[in-house]
Amino acid sequence: MKTLLQIRSSIFSDGGQSSQLADRFVAAWREAHPDGRIRVRDLAREPVPHLDAQRFGAFLAKAEDRTPEQRAVVAGSDALIGELQRADVVVIGLPLYNFGVPSTLKAYFDHVARAGVTFRYTEKGPVGLLTGKKVYVFATRGGIYAGTPRDTQTAYVRNFLAFIGMDDVEFVYAEGLAISAASKEQGLARARAEIERIADSQPVAA
Ligand SMILES: Cc1cc2nc3c(=O)[nH]c(=O)nc-3n(C[C@H](O)[C@H](O)[C@H](O)COP(=O)(O)O)c2cc1C
């Protein structure tokens, strides 16, 4: 039985354009995997706190030395990582906010990057430990950035995911959503067609 983890990072929760595109994909995946398991992690409804020195200190402390507060911090991070470990497919809704990824997604990333758990350092450099997963990212933007140096998200998200072992990542873009009604419709229609193409191809059925 396959497991899909859907991560929403729109401030509008399931009402965001990125969430709705991701939902379309997840619906197609569900059809292909009637007995598959789907877990939704909604970062608007359940935001992960910002990483601070105290929380990072909890990650670094030896398990046997952790205070009850530190154990709670690590348990929260472990729960997020457990969802990723169990997932065969990871779906991320990725809005562009003020030229970056949503701060909720950054906070989430900060809590799943754990030395010795999701990556480890070797003599040949860092090695990601969350391997063997397929990731689909549904990126929504008011303007048009994909393929230009002004796209701050794609390389960052790819690099981060690869760092923790997830290097099979496919992006679907819906752009120009704030330019005009026609541009929005065109951007969404393109993204929906791309979702159909992916759903009809092999990887979604994997
Ligand atoms: C707070 C905020 C900041 C935004 N910043 C940008 C931006 O820097 N560049 C851009 O092209 N669009 C920007 N947008 C437009 C969003 O990218 C667009 O509305 C997209 O659909 C958001 O995804 P969502 O609906 O899933 O939240 C911004 C929207 C909001 C609400």
Side-chain angles (χ1 to χ4, degrees), residues 28-107:
W29 189 88
R30 189 184 277 119
E31 254 180 50
H33 302 84
D35 62 345
R37 240 177 301 180
I38 296 171
R39 167 83 178 112
V40 179
R41 164 77 38 196
D42 189 325
L43 298 175
R45 294 211 171 126
E46 283 185 275
V48 177
H50 279 145
L51 187 63
D52 59 16
Q54 231 172 351
R55 300 180 74 83
F56 189 61
F59 298 160
L60 297 183
K62 282 194 183 134
E64 60 272 25
D65 296 337
R66 284 179 185 138
T67 64
E69 292 76 19
Q70 287 179 320
R71 281 204 292 275
V73 169
V74 172
S77 162
D78 284 347
L80 299 177
I81 292 169
E83 288 176 354
L84 286 169
Q85 285 167 334
R86 287 187 291 277
D88 303 287
V89 177
V90 178
V91 171
I92 302 177
L94 180 72
L96 178 67
Y97 294 147
N98 299 317
F99 292 91
V101 302
S103 55
T104 51
L105 187 65
K106 178 63 166 70

Side-chain angles (χ1 to χ4, degrees), residues 9-13 15-20 93-100 140-145 174 177-178:
S9 66
S10 171
I11 56 175
F12 305 110
S13 182
Q17 298 288 356
S18 58
S19 309
Q20 290 178 19
L94 180 72
L96 178 67
Y97 294 147
N98 299 317
F99 292 91
T140 50
R141 289 103 182 253
I144 294 176
Y145 304 84
L177 304 188

